[in-house]
Every structure is written in structure tokens, then in C-alpha cells.
Amino acid sequence: MSTKLESSYETKSPLNKKFILQTSYWKGVQILSVLSLLFSLFYLSFRNTSPIWNVFGILFLVMIVLSILGVLWQRKLSIASALYLMFIPFSLILIGLMNFQQSNQYPGETSILPILIPSLFLLVHVVTLIFASRMDKQRKEGVNSIPRWFSELLVWGNIVVLIVGLFTSSMILFRYENGGYGPYVNQLALFYAFVFLASTVLVIQGSKARPTLRRITMIGGFAITFVHFLPLLSVPIIINQAEEQVEEAFAQWDSSAFHSSEFQQTPFSLPAYFLGIPPADVEGEKDVLFYEGTEGVDEGVELRFDSFFPKEKEGKLPVLIRIHGGSWANGDKGDANVMQQNTYFAEQGYAVFDIQYGLTTLSSYGLSSVPDNVRGPFSIDDQVRHIGLFTQYLAEHAEEYQLDLSTTFISGGSAGGHLATASALAMTEGKYGDWFSEELKVKGLIPYYPANKGPELGGIPGTEELLWPEQLVSENSPPALLFHGTHDTYVGYETAASFKETYANHDNKKAAVIYMPFGNHGSDFYFAGYYSQTFTYYMERFMALYR
């Protein structure tokens, strides 16, 4: 008698029997799978960012969530359910990581990612459809439960996964030093949400614990899952505050007036988040030498750039100069500087230059492995001077590249954001004239989480106004659009707020800051992410406004 009661107790669902799913539930999941699969095929055929496609993105989310939760109401965990709950998280995480990789690949490099990502995405639909059909059949014919040893292995393995979920949840919710893992958590949080939801169901259905303990696990697992949905749910907040910022700062701004077919049609596309943004078809050159030092601190230094141009040119091209970050001592152009942003703006008709500058050995921030030909005991003045040398190179080769130097934008992230700010403001103010070409006219400054007060903290020497470029701000400073995550632990968002306030104190209202809730340092690395998509939407319009 006792054995029978124990067996009945072990297989009982943590929810009341009246919630056991009827055939209609799995029929509904099957219908959702078919509809989402058809939408996927249509989307992949047209590939645009029309707001209507977000309906498809929501449909996909609902399909995955319902298929995972459907397992929760089974009497027993079947082999098919266990395999499905392992396949879905693995596939989605793999899609996210492949998109991350695609964001930083050079154009023209042989890659199967543009094929592999949508293929895996479609496979998720097919597997979900097959799984839903099988669950409907199992409900009628009975369930083949998994071996006890396999169930125990799943339970303990997924308990570890949920413990990791507590850690990543804390990284999303709270602003603290996280060892540099932040960008890999907040940008991919939606993918992780499905991992933790599936792990919660596996632990509940595979566990022999008492119903009370399993209910606690369920509540905790659902809470972890919800936290990882927060960055996605914050997108409307980002858009609303961004609209307020740009309309206040830029008098001519009218979001409805930008009709270019090359622009994103909506600040955020959910299908693009999953399927990525296809690499642009552009042309250009890699590793072009623009400066070779022969004396003094520059002896032995070789600085290069990558260039990106639209394949079809109409007249002279406006210029976008991009400067990489890395604590002034590390980093590089190219695949270390969100490559896809280079190609994206080149396709829109800009001549994009992703450049190097001398990396200092005088920083206390730590050094990574970089070539000796870009490293030396450089001050901030030297690094800004290197950027100035590139402007002189552009002036000398303007005809060759068909450049409109009177329309130049400068952008960079972190240390690159600081150097972009110092260079743009110095050029505008006419200072350090020996360094910069007078032919370049800065029409806009676009710093990402600029480390404007960082060099001094890192012990890097330099002129005070270049170390802290806010001192160069005047009423004539160029329009500025800044991007900053609220949970940035390397460069606090207060830095961007202070920069905007400095503009206002000089009777210059042309500065706007787009704050990214839960965003960490480096929140632009996933080009198809909610943060990068949203900021790119406003960046391309900002540049078009002052182009």
C-alpha cells in the first residue's frame, strides 16, 4: 500500500489535475508552429524591418513558451519531452552566438552563418511541430517515461543551470562589477530566458521532491525567466525616452520624415533579433597603411585602417570615422569594433573608415596581446594626434576615394568614444591645428558610452582638456548623439549625462543621450540586439539630418 502511494505521489504534477492539457492545447501549438514557419519563410524572402514583422516575432515567442510549458502539465516526463527541452535552448543559444559572430566578421570572408542561422531557426519550427504532434499522440496512447538515472542526471544538471540563472539575473538587475560578462548577458538575455524556462520544467517534472518544494522551484525558475525578458520589455521605454531626447535636442527632428528605404523602418525588429541582420554587400580595403613613425615616441609605429564604400556611388561620399575602444591600451579596428556597423553605414552611402591609433603602455588598466607596431608609451595627446594624422591622410586622398570631407561624422565606443569626442571638439574649436586637416568639417559626434574621465583614472598622461574633453565644449560644438547603458560598470552613465549638461551650460542644446535600461558596457556588440538596433535607428536618422 505504501509503495503504491509513494509511486502515485512521485508522478503527480505540481499543478492540479484539472490543468492536464487537452488535445486542443497541442493542436493550438501545432497551428502556431505552422503559422510561425510560414511567416519565417515569408520574412526570409523579403527581409525588411517593417513593424508588421514584429507580429511574427511575438508569434514565435508564444509558440516556444507554450511548447515548453506544455511539458509541465504532463503526468510523466517522457523521453521526447526531455530531448525537446534540451534541443530548444541549445539551438536558440547557438543562433544567438552565431549572430554575435556575424556582427564582427569582415565582409567577403567565407562564412556559412547567413545560411546556417536561418536554417537552424526553421529547424526549431519543424521540431516544435513534430513535438507538438507527438505530445498530442502520447496523450491518447500513454507516455514512455525516461529512466530514473537519466531523470536524476537531468534534475541535477538543470539545478546547476538555474543557479547560473540567479547569477545572470543579478547581472541584469543590479549594477556591479561583473568581470566583463555583462555584454554577453544583457544582449543575449532573451535566448537565456528560454534556457531557464526549459530548465525549470525539467527540474519540476524530473524531481521526486515534495510538491511544496517543486512549487518553490517553479516560482523561482519563472522569476529567473522573467528577469531575462526585462531587456526586451524595456525596448518601448528606450524608444519613448529616445524620442523625447532627440526632439528636444535637434529642432528639425521628425521621425516620420525619414523615408529612405535603406533605413530601419522600426527601432526594433524581433525577427531580426533572432535571425540577425544580413551582412551588407559593400566594397573596400583592409589594413591600409596611413602612418609609419620614424622618430621619437612614434618610432616603429605602423597605423592602418579598413575602408568600406557602397558599391554604387552617386557623387562624393560623406565620411564616417570609427574609433575602437580598449582602455587606450588594447583593442583594434575590424572584427574587434562591431564590423557590421561599418558595412551597414557604407551600404547607406557613407565612406566608412575604421582606424587604428597608437596603444599606450602607460595605462594601469592592463594590457592584452596586440602587435608591437601599434604599441608604445603614448600619451592621450599622441593618440589624438594619430587620429589627426589620419584626417590629413584623408585630405590627401579625398579625390581618390571621392570624399565629401565637409560632411564628416566621428564615432567610437568607450576609450574610442573619448578619443572621438576629444578629436571632434578639438577640430571644431580649431585647436591643435597642426594635427588635423582643416578640410574636414565635423557635422556630428556619436560616442558610445564615452570614457571621458577615464584616462586620468588609468594614469595616462596628457593635456587636461584632452584627458577630459568636456572642457572643449562650446556653443559651436557639433551636434552629439550619445548611447549609454544604465548598468555600465566601467563607465557610469553619469558621464554621458554630464556631457549633455555641459553642452546645455554653454547654450548648446544639440546633445542627446539615449539610455539603455539594463545595458552594460559594450551593449552594441550584438548588432541585431535590442540595444544596437534601437541606437542604429536613431544614429542613421541623426546622420541623415546633418548630412
Side-chain angles (χ1 to χ4, degrees), residues 18-70:
K18 69 180 181 179
F19 289 105
I20 294 177
L21 301 175
Q22 302 298 316
T23 302
S24 57
Y25 182 94
W26 288 112
K27 291 292 185 186
V29 174
Q30 292 175 58
I31 292 171
L32 283 174
S33 301
V34 172
L35 289 175
S36 187
L37 180 59
L38 292 174
F39 270 116
S40 299
L41 294 172
F42 278 116
Y43 176 79
L44 290 170
S45 299
F46 296 102
R47 279 280 190 159
N48 62 51
T49 55
S50 171
I52 192 65
W53 289 116
N54 278 326
V55 175
F56 152 52
I58 294 172
L59 191 68
F60 175 75
L61 287 180
V62 173
M63 176 195 77
I64 296 297
V65 170
L66 290 181
S67 65
I68 293 174
L69 290 180

Side-chain angles (χ1 to χ4, degrees), residues 106-107 282-284 306-310 339 342-343 346 350-352 354:
Y106 273 97
V282 299
E283 59 186 23
D306 298 332
S307 62
F308 307 86
F309 308 101
M339 172 59 67
N342 295 328
T343 58
Y350 293 90
V352 182
D354 192 358

Side-chain angles (χ1 to χ4, degrees), residues 110-266:
T110 302
S111 173
I112 62 170
L113 292 181
I115 298 174
L116 194 57
I117 292 170
S119 297
L120 185 55
F121 187 75
L122 293 174
L123 181 62
V124 167
H125 287 81
V126 173
V127 171
T128 300
L129 178 59
I130 295 172
F131 173 69
S133 302
R134 185 173 181 82
M135 289 301 99
D136 187 21
K137 183 179 179 181
Q138 283 185 350
R139 182 188 169 276
K140 300 171 185 176
E141 300 178 358
V143 176
N144 295 320
S145 58
I146 63 176
R148 185 76 268 166
W149 69 268
F150 188 39
S151 176
E152 292 290 338
L153 183 63
L154 284 177
V155 168
W156 286 107
N158 283 281
I159 286 175
V160 173
V161 171
L162 291 177
I163 291 173
V164 173
L166 289 173
F167 173 62
T168 56
S169 294
S170 71
M171 292 173 63
I172 292 173
L173 291 174
F174 307 110
R175 179 182 171 188
Y176 66 90
E177 176 56 49
N178 51 53
Y181 294 108
Y184 302 98
V185 172
N186 57 21
Q187 296 177 84
L188 299 174
L190 186 57
F191 293 104
Y192 299 144
F194 298 118
V195 173
F196 300 126
L197 182 62
S199 292
T200 301
V201 173
L202 281 169
V203 170
I204 291 171
Q205 289 297 80
S207 173
K208 295 190 297 181
R210 293 178 177 277
T212 300
L213 184 58
R214 291 201 286 169
R215 285 193 176 95
I216 292 173
T217 302
M218 181 173 64
I219 293 171
F222 286 173
I224 291 171
T225 300
F226 176 75
V227 168
H228 287 78
F229 268 92
L230 287 177
L232 173 66
L233 297 176
S234 73
V235 169
I237 298 173
I238 298 173
I239 296 170
N240 287 336
Q241 65 89 12
E243 287 291 329
E244 293 176 0
Q245 285 275 337
V246 296
E247 288 176 2
E248 177 187 356
F250 315 121
Q252 314 97 308
W253 189 278
D254 181 2
S255 292
S256 63
F258 298 99
H259 300 300
S260 172
S261 61
E262 301 294 333
F263 286 173
Q264 290 180 203
Q265 298 177 42
T266 182

